[in-house]
Every structure is written in C-alpha cells, then in structure tokens.
C-alpha cells in the first residue's frame, strides 16, 4: 500500500497520492491516499499479544475522502483510479 501514498520528489515537493474508489452498494466514494498507515504498538493490548509484530509492514494507507457517501456492510469493489 505504501506505493499508493504521496511521495516527495528530488526537489522536496510532495506529489499527490493515488485516487481510488470504493463502492459498497451505495455508489462509489473516491479517496486520495496521502501517507502510509503503520501499525501501532497498542494493538498488542487491544487485539492480542504480538499483533503489532505480525502486522508490521502491512498497515495500509491513510486517505482523504473526495466524495460524500455511506459505506455498507457486505461486499465492496475497490478500484485504483490514478497514481
């Protein structure tokens, strides 16, 4: 997921992250990735011992919603629109 996040180029300017769309049955909601989301050590206390260690490197990416919408429980379609 880190490859979807925003990056800094050689000049130090920030490039925009990937735009993706999520449709869980109520219409697509677009989101733009902006930085990696790394697992936190508190997961050991909340989920299970060693959860943090097991999830290290698999945290995902933080996103900003670009559209209004409401997620629904059940199957969903995720589409990466641009990088």
């Amino acid at each position: 997921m880190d490859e979807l996040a925003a990056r800094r180029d050689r000049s130090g300017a920030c490039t925009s992250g990937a735009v993706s769309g999520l449709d869980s049955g109520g219409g697509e909601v677009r989101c733009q990735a902006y930085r990696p989301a790394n697992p936190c050590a508190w997961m050991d206390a909340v989920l299970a011992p060693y959860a943090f260690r097991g999830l290290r490197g698999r945290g995902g990416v933080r996103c900003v919603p670009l559209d209004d919408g409401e997620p629904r429980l059940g199957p969903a379609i995720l589409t990466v629109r641009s990088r």
Side-chain angles (χ1 to χ4, degrees), residues 4 16-21 30-33 66 79-83:
L4 300 177
S16 55
V19 174
S20 59
R30 293 173 308 128
C31 296
Q32 184 162 24
L66 301 174
T79 307
V80 177
R81 299 279 178 213
S82 66
R83 170 68 210 123

Side-chain angles (χ1 to χ4, degrees), residues 21-38:
L22 179 65
D23 188 346
S24 60
E28 184 181 63
V29 175
R30 293 173 308 128
C31 296
Q32 184 162 24
Y34 71 92
R35 71 180 182 121
N38 299 313

Side-chain angles (χ1 to χ4, degrees), residues 2 37-41 43-44 50-60:
D2 286 356
N38 299 313
C40 302
M43 291 181 168
D44 289 348
Y50 304 106
F52 171 67
R53 186 181 302 169
L55 292 171
R56 196 173 319 170
R58 299 181 185 98

